[in-house]
Amino acid sequence: MVIGVLALQGSYNEHIAVLRRLGVRGVEIKKPEQLNSINGLIIPGGESTTMAKLAEYHNLFPALREFVKLGKPVWGTCAGLIFLANKAVGQKEGGQELVGGLDCTVHRNFFGSQIQSFEAELSVPELAATEGGPAHFRGIFIRAPAVLETGADVEVLAAYLKSAEVYFLFIF
Amino acid sequence: MRGLKDSSSPTEMSGSGVVTVYGNGAAITEAKTSPFSVKVGLAQMLRGGVIMDVVNAEQARIAEEAGACAVMALERVPADIRAQGGVARMSDPQLIKEIKQAVTIPVMAKARIGHFVEAQILESLGIDYIDESEVLTLADDEHHINKHNFRIPFVCGCRNLGEALRRIREGAAMIRTKGEAGTGDIIEAVRHVRSVMGDIRVLRNMDDDEVFTFAKKISAPYDLVMQTKQLGRLPVVHFAAGGVATPADAALMMQLGCDGVFVGSGVFKSGDPARRARAIVQAVTHYSDPDILAEVSCGLGEAMVGINLKDEKVERYANRSE
């Protein structure tokens, strides 16, 4: 099995390193044609505006949308989540292009500037039940996005609660 | 003391109200904690990106539009600081606020080395990163800011491995080479990157018993030297800076092993800033693809006017701090 990691900008090296630890082959994806040879795709964290610009320069959006439509598994972390959302708010002037495919609305950089970045323990009982492992996961929120709404078909695996509102984090 | 009849003891003095000591004489603000992982986390997000110097909101938007992963808000780019001379200080907070409002990408700003009050002000503005920079005039020629006292993360310059690890021990969550800012001459940046990477290669092959003496030789904390040996790289994100003027310069820094690039005067002192900015961003992503590098390097207009560092009279900003 070969997993592609979108390697335009951001923490793609870290994702490839984790794949290597798991014994899975990870390859860098920088061009549209490279998507043809992979079984699944990870869109890593980074600066989503930058990643969108670079994807636009090299005409990656049509190929990425096609890949999502094929139903092959796609994982989005942080900026990758923004890429996969059907709708995003809090963007730069003029907006930014999205890949879409995940029925939700994302708020970019929801918590504020770096001073508001934080760590928190998240409860992940379903993951623990189905995959094993601990019932908690340490989440690091660096200028993180939040999911404001999700469609009916989206299953929420974990949520972080702040001032009585719920911000969803992991959606597949 | 002859002739001086001191009637009051120090304890009496302190309550007499003649001269009151501010904050019990402590110069440093109370330590605020932010986990180091959170500070390092943002730098990790910036990897593979370009951070550009901007002097107003309009330039910040051009940088964002070109695909910069962050901007550095300043009053004067290094080339102008060199040309105009005088004392270079932290930028006007009003300017930094305007730039922060203009863009959604992270905003950094520079504080003078050792000027922890400028850093406190920048932290209060809610920007994302502080560059404790030798490009500004020094405020303290012996001590850097104790960066553990801040919640906001810092990036610091280095010329070699020892200097990088000393800054990390002071709390820096990101390292950049010093290079020579405002010259458009890449030679010093290459020297500094090669020095850091070369020392790490030597360290990796070193017997554990020899690391103690090596740490002493490069004047760096032993534990960080050992961590660097185990990781085979600096324990924090490592960008290149100082003299990057073309897409090829940026790709050279990436191929030498850096995680990303700062571009100071190179973009907005050139003939066509928007185009050059975009080309440098693409060069950093596709740094190992000569075909794309050739394509993006075409027709960029004039590069910034360079200052050749062979000229001994050119001031070396890199040597301002140890």
Side-chain angles (χ1 to χ4, degrees):
Chain A
M1 188 168 58
V2 183
I3 301 295
V5 179
L6 192 66
L8 298 173
Q9 187 269 328
S11 52
Y12 54 87
N13 280 317
E14 283 82 353
H15 284 78
I16 290 175
V18 170
L19 289 173
R20 196 176 301 138
R21 266 210 305 278
L22 297 171
V24 177
R25 194 162 153 243
V27 292
E28 291 185 8
I29 303 293
K30 290 180 195 263
K31 292 176 178 174
E33 61 269 22
Q34 293 168 327
L35 287 166
N36 299 332
S37 55
I38 54 173
N39 305 97
L41 177 69
I42 295 176
I43 307 180
E47 189 48 52
S48 69
T49 332
T50 303
M51 285 164 59
K53 275 285 155 200
L54 283 157
E56 194 189 310
Y57 292 159
H58 294 280
N59 204 25
L60 262 160
F61 277 108
L64 286 170
R65 287 194 193 105
E66 192 55 36
F67 191 89
V68 170
K69 268 203 206 102
L70 286 174
K72 291 194 189 173
V74 183
W75 171 302
T77 306
C78 198
L81 163 68
I82 299 171
F83 259 55
L84 291 176
N86 280 350
K87 199 175 157 220
V89 292
Q91 295 169 301
K92 72 170 177 69
E93 239 176 63
Q96 73 192 46
E97 218 172 323
L98 302 172
V99 173
L102 185 60
D103 188 10
C104 67
T105 303
V106 168
H107 193 306
R108 252 192 101 243
N109 192 13
F110 180 83
F111 300 92
S113 69
Q114 176 62 13
I115 298 267
Q116 277 85 39
S117 293
F118 60 98
E119 284 182 288
E121 289 291 339
L122 302 168
S123 171
V124 286
E126 271 179 63
L127 278 184
T130 53
E131 309 282 334
H136 287 274
F137 177 79
R138 186 134 189 94
I140 304 183
F141 298 74
I142 310 288
R143 286 174 49 97
V147 177
L148 305 179
E149 285 168 11
T150 55
D153 294 339
V154 174
E155 187 190 350
V156 178
L157 295 179
Y160 171 69
L161 282 87
K162 195 183 173 193
S163 57
E165 285 178 71
V166 184
Y167 306 130
F168 305 104
L169 288 166
F170 301 106
I171 316 172
F172 295 92
Chain B
M1 287 301 284
R2 203 155 43 94
L4 269 177
K5 198 95 174 112
D6 191 7
S7 59
S8 57
S9 72
T11 36
E12 278 173 80
M13 274 295 284
S14 63
S16 67
V18 182
V19 177
T20 311
V21 177
Y22 286 108
N24 297 323
I28 314 279
T29 47
E30 60 184 286
K32 298 166 206 147
T33 52
S34 173
F36 198 60
S37 55
V38 168
K39 291 180 173 179
V40 172
L42 181 59
Q44 261 167 5
M45 267 181 54
L46 300 174
R47 283 184 78 172
V50 182
I51 300 167
M52 296 181 196
D53 281 4
V54 297
V55 299
N56 55 43
E58 189 201 344
Q59 287 188 354
R61 267 196 291 268
I62 292 173
E64 181 179 58
E65 208 49 51
C69 68
V71 290
M72 176 80 69
L74 336 134
E75 256 166 7
R76 296 187 283 171
V77 292
D80 289 335
I81 295 175
R82 278 190 190 275
Q84 294 160 7
V87 175
R89 309 181 179 90
M90 173 187 82
S91 302
D92 185 333
Q94 181 61 35
L95 173 90
I96 297 169
K97 278 188 193 167
E98 282 166 21
I99 289 174
K100 188 170 172 258
Q101 268 173 3
V103 293
T104 64
I105 54 178
V107 175
M108 303 184 168
K110 286 185 196 286
R112 280 179 269 177
I113 288 177
H115 206 317
F116 49 84
V117 175
E118 283 188 350
Q120 289 163 8
I121 292 170
L122 292 174
E123 181 175 68
S124 131
L125 292 176
I127 57 161
D128 300 292
Y129 241 88
I130 294 176
D131 183 1
E132 188 183 16
S133 178
E134 71 286 353
V135 172
L136 303 184
T137 311
L138 297 196
D140 189 328
D141 59 4
E142 277 188 45
H143 311 284
H144 279 67
I145 297 171
N146 179 354
K147 293 164 273 287
H148 296 292
N149 285 342
F150 292 82
R151 277 179 303 148
I152 188 166
F154 282 75
V155 52
C156 287
C158 78
R159 290 165 300 173
N160 50 52
L161 182 59
E163 200 172 357
L165 296 180
R166 286 196 294 278
R167 295 294 90 77
I168 296 169
R169 172 50 75 238
E170 291 160 5
M174 179 176 177
I175 288 293
R176 60 172 171 77
T177 57
K178 283 179 167 174
E180 272 305 335
T183 62
D185 192 344
I186 197 73
I187 184 169
E188 289 298 312
V190 169
R191 195 195 311 282
H192 300 157
V193 174
R194 280 210 180 271
S195 169
V196 171
M197 299 301 178
D199 272 354
I200 292 174
R201 281 188 285 269
V202 169
L203 184 58
R204 282 182 80 172
N205 292 317
M206 198 175 282
D207 188 281
D208 280 3
D209 296 0
E210 295 163 358
V211 175
F212 299 98
T213 304
F214 182 77
K216 193 174 86 178
K217 196 180 105 202
I218 64 167
S219 308
Y222 169 77
D223 57 331
L224 287 178
V225 175
M226 207 54 197
Q227 198 187 353
T228 305
K229 178 173 165 58
Q230 279 153 6
L231 292 171
R233 58 158 293 147
L234 285 182
V236 301
V237 169
H238 176 200
F239 269 49
V244 177
T246 67
D249 288 347
L252 174 65
M253 293 292 111
M254 296 300 288
Q255 288 200 25
L256 285 172
C258 291
D259 295 318
V261 172
F262 283 83
V263 186
S265 323
V267 169
F268 289 100
K269 283 283 158 190
S270 74
D272 188 346
R275 193 133 176 229
R276 185 167 292 265
R278 182 180 145 159
I280 293 176
V281 167
Q282 292 184 77
V284 167
T285 297
H286 300 281
Y287 67 89
S288 54
D289 187 334
D291 296 338
I292 293 186
L293 294 176
E295 185 192 318
V296 302
S297 300
C298 285
L300 292 182
E302 242 172 285
M304 70 177 284
V305 181
I307 300 172
N308 193 320
L309 283 165
K310 267 196 154 170
D311 185 349
E312 303 269 310
K313 280 180 296 218
V314 177
E315 190 191 349
R316 307 293 150 131
Y317 288 169
N319 296 343
R320 283 172 162 181
S321 66
E322 291 292 321

